[in-house]
Amino acid sequence: MLVLDLNNLFAMDTETIVIRIKTPLGDMDSAVDCPSLLNFDDLLVSLHNARELTTCTQFEFDNFDEVGDRITVRSDEELKAMLSYYFNTMNEQRMNGLLPDPLQIFPRAGKTPGIRNIHGLKVPISIIVSAALHREQGERREGVKLSTIIVHLCLQINAQDIHYQEQLGHGNGGTVYKAYHLLGKRVLAVKVIPLDITVELQKQIMSELEILYKCDSPYIITFFSAFFVENRISICTEFMDGGSLDVFKRIPEHVLGRIAVAVVKGLTYLWSLKILHRDVKPSNMLVNTRGQVKLCDFGVSTQLVNSIAKTYVGTNAYMAPERISGEQYGIHADVWSVGISFMEPLQLLQCIVDEDPPVLPVGQFSEKFVHFITQCMRRQPKERPAPNNLMDHSFIIQFNDGNAEVVSMWVCRCLEERRAQHAQGHV
Ligand code: ATP
Ligand code: MG
């Protein structure tokens, strides 16, 4: 019998826990912030999907005390008791100098204790999936990252479930399409990259991409799935309806400031996971009409980067001088690329490896902005701001007010102007 330990309630509000869902297909890990706000029905939705379309009405979890003994959870009360028990176990493991094990749960089909579905019908999985996705699309309940659980579990995307729509763009590596995921009922961006590589290298890429499931930041594009079909890899991510920054002309400073804040936060998050972006540039900064700004195309898979590099043509104007000259590089190379990304194309042309960093014309931009750019583009990598210093820069502080409305309104207006120009025939 499990009892709710009130002392644990506080810990539940501040901890992030990892729930490991054990399924016949393998384990699925999911990070949950603020677990005290997690509820039984939401978790069941995730479990339905994790079990690949089979019904699930309850789950069991491992009782670490008694080997082989599992405890069944069928209600919110039992869920709370399980979390409380888990927190005790976590604390004990920590006191013994161990890293806490994830909370392992085993989905089970079984009799529902109450009437969960008032019509007494089995809910078709597609409805469950779309209900889960609706919730994921914004209505995060007071800090619970339900999105993490739901998205990672229900979007097992297969090639045959994707309906390709328009082409969004074409880069050096591949082509990006807007697509519709029939099962998940949502729009995706799918990047298709042709790669002539061995099956072993394909497997290596797939395992290197796995870290993307763990990336969970509002400033990083959500990764859903990746798969190979013949010699092409398809990488499915969240679709951003504003597209990338490279197509926007003359971004006003108060908008650019908020975008810069998001970019710095996104990079700081990646760096905290020991991931260098390696390809910071306006076409890899995406915006949407909700005013969100997210980074994409960061180099988590060395093998993928190497395989694409073999077919790469041209130079990258956003690359730090130390990278162009083939020296070792680190976080500071990303910082350079941040600086140069926020410069006007005109000044960009000036930026040649052997010259001094370009300077923005006085009067057009605020002093803080010019200082920020100049600092990011110091020739010596060590002289550029480190992650903490970037967040503390007065330009970033000034615009770090969480005002997504500013970006949202600007994106909407630009899209509207673009549509009007389109309609008049001058694209
Ligand atoms: P490179 O290949 O040199 O990195 P790139 O970033 O322009 O250049 P891609 O990454 O292939 O090339 O992207 C092509 C275009 O697709 C981007 O410029 C962007 O406009 C669009 N795009 C990419 N991802 C998304 C997304 N998730 N949502 C909406 N549009 C996207
Ligand atoms: Mg890109």
Side-chain angles (χ1 to χ4, degrees):
M1 168 74 181
L2 290 173
V3 215
L4 181 60
D5 177 352
L6 291 177
N7 288 331
N8 284 332
L9 286 178
F10 175 70
M12 284 190 215
D13 276 342
T14 53
E15 285 267 10
T16 296
I17 62 165
V18 176
I19 297 186
R20 174 163 297 163
I21 300 174
K22 310 286 283 186
T23 80
L25 299 172
D27 296 349
M28 293 179 173
D29 281 359
S30 205
V32 181
D33 285 350
C34 231
S36 66
L37 296 173
L38 193 62
N39 75 41
F40 181 69
D41 283 347
D42 284 332
L43 199 50
L44 270 196
V45 170
S46 311
L47 299 182
H48 270 296
N49 303 311
R51 277 173 60 89
E52 291 267 290
L53 314 189
T54 42
T55 322
C56 161
T57 53
Q58 58 192 34
F59 59 87
E60 294 170 353
F61 79 98
D62 254 334
N63 179 352
F64 296 95
D65 290 347
E66 293 149 61
V67 181
D69 188 15
R70 289 194 195 143
I71 294 177
T72 306
V73 176
R74 283 158 304 201
S75 64
D76 275 329
E77 290 71 43
E78 288 174 351
L79 174 78
K80 286 259 175 320
M82 172 189 79
L83 289 171
S84 161
Y85 171 82
Y86 175 64
F87 275 96
N88 278 335
T89 317
M90 255 172 105
N91 285 341
E92 274 169 32
Q93 288 178 326
R94 280 188 182 135
M95 278 190 306
N96 292 327
L98 300 169
L99 269 179
D101 291 319
L103 171 58
Q104 301 210 29
I105 62 177
F106 301 78
R108 289 282 172 263
K111 211 163 169 292
T112 328
I115 302 173
R116 186 155 289 113
N117 168 1
I118 51 163
H119 304 295
L121 301 168
K122 277 197 179 146
V123 182
I125 190 70
S126 59
I127 296 179
I128 295 173
V129 171
S130 70
L133 288 170
H134 277 307
R135 208 171 298 125
E136 184 269 326
Q137 280 163 4
E139 295 100 81
R140 281 185 170 201
R141 246 182 267 158
E142 295 172 27
V144 189
K145 292 202 177 159
L146 291 171
S147 58
T148 326
I149 288 199
I150 291 161
V151 170
H152 290 178
L153 297 181
C154 71
L155 282 175
Q156 296 258 315
I157 299 174
N158 298 312
Q160 65 272 17
D161 296 328
I162 295 179
H163 180 78
Y164 289 91
Q165 298 174 338
E166 78 217 62
Q167 185 175 318
L168 293 171
H170 186 76
N172 254 305
T175 309
V176 181
Y177 299 91
K178 182 177 175 184
Y180 188 68
H181 181 227
L182 299 171
L183 185 61
K185 294 193 178 4
R186 76 178 287 159
V187 178
L188 304 172
V190 183
K191 185 166 192 168
V192 183
I193 309 169
L195 289 174
D196 275 317
I197 52 170
T198 60
V199 175
E200 279 66 38
L201 288 185
Q202 288 189 358
K203 283 189 189 148
Q204 191 184 333
I205 290 175
M206 292 302 284
S207 81
E208 285 176 339
L209 289 179
E210 261 173 37
I211 193 173
L212 292 176
Y213 285 113
K214 298 204 178 84
C215 283
D216 180 22
S217 156
Y219 311 104
I220 300 294
I221 209 83
T222 304
F223 167 78
F224 294 132
S225 192
F227 51 83
F228 271 94
V229 175
E230 292 167 6
N231 64 341
R232 291 184 305 274
I233 186 172
S234 297
I235 301 173
C236 308
T237 61
E238 154 187 26
F239 168 71
M240 297 288 277
D241 61 358
S244 49
L245 275 197
D246 53 325
V247 288
F248 291 90
K249 308 212 169 62
R250 288 208 159 263
I251 308 175
E253 197 180 309
H254 69 287
V255 177
L256 202 63
R258 267 99 189 182
I259 294 175
V261 170
V263 167
V264 168
K265 286 185 176 173
L267 285 175
T268 311
Y269 176 78
L270 290 179
W271 295 333
S272 74
L273 298 179
K274 307 221 172 340
I275 300 173
L276 285 189
H277 189 297
R278 293 192 168 89
D279 203 10
V280 176
K281 57 182 176 181
S283 71
N284 289 336
M285 298 173 187
L286 303 166
V287 288
N288 65 20
T289 46
R290 287 162 65 191
Q292 294 176 307
V293 182
K294 306 192 182 201
L295 295 173
C296 68
D297 289 348
F298 39 97
V300 286
S301 165
T302 319
Q303 195 48 251
L304 182 59
V305 173
N306 289 346
S307 306
I308 294 175
K310 293 203 177 105
T311 56
Y312 194 89
V313 281
T315 49
N316 182 343
Y318 301 88
M319 242 186 215
E322 66 272 20
R323 279 189 71 182
I324 296 179
S325 36
E327 290 159 42
Q328 284 214 326
Y329 63 91
I331 282 176
H332 293 100
D334 278 349
V335 175
W336 169 282
S337 308
V338 171
I340 196 160
S341 294
F342 290 119
M343 291 192 64
E344 292 281 300
L346 201 67
Q347 280 92 45
L348 235 162
L349 294 176
Q350 272 178 257
C351 184
I352 304 164
V353 181
D354 294 330
E355 280 185 13
D356 284 337
V359 186
L360 293 161
V362 201
Q364 252 181 348
F365 304 96
S366 75
E367 230 172 79
K368 286 177 187 167
F369 179 49
V370 174
H371 186 260
F372 176 76
I373 300 283
T374 323
Q375 289 301 102
C376 288
M377 295 182 65
R378 300 287 291 263
R379 282 197 57 80
Q380 289 305 319
K382 293 230 168 75
E383 289 174 9
R384 296 173 209 151
N388 289 346
N389 303 343
L390 267 184
M391 275 313 293
D392 291 342
H393 191 281
S394 55
F395 177 66
I396 296 298
I397 290 173
Q398 181 187 353
F399 291 111
N400 188 12
D401 56 3
N403 190 343
E405 189 98 2
V406 171
V407 181
S408 165
M409 275 162 51
W410 168 77
V411 171
C412 291
R413 200 173 51 243
C414 292
L415 292 183
E416 199 48 53
E417 278 169 18
R418 234 182 270 166
R419 267 192 289 270
Q421 283 180 355
H422 228 281
Q424 287 171 8
H426 19 108
V427 189

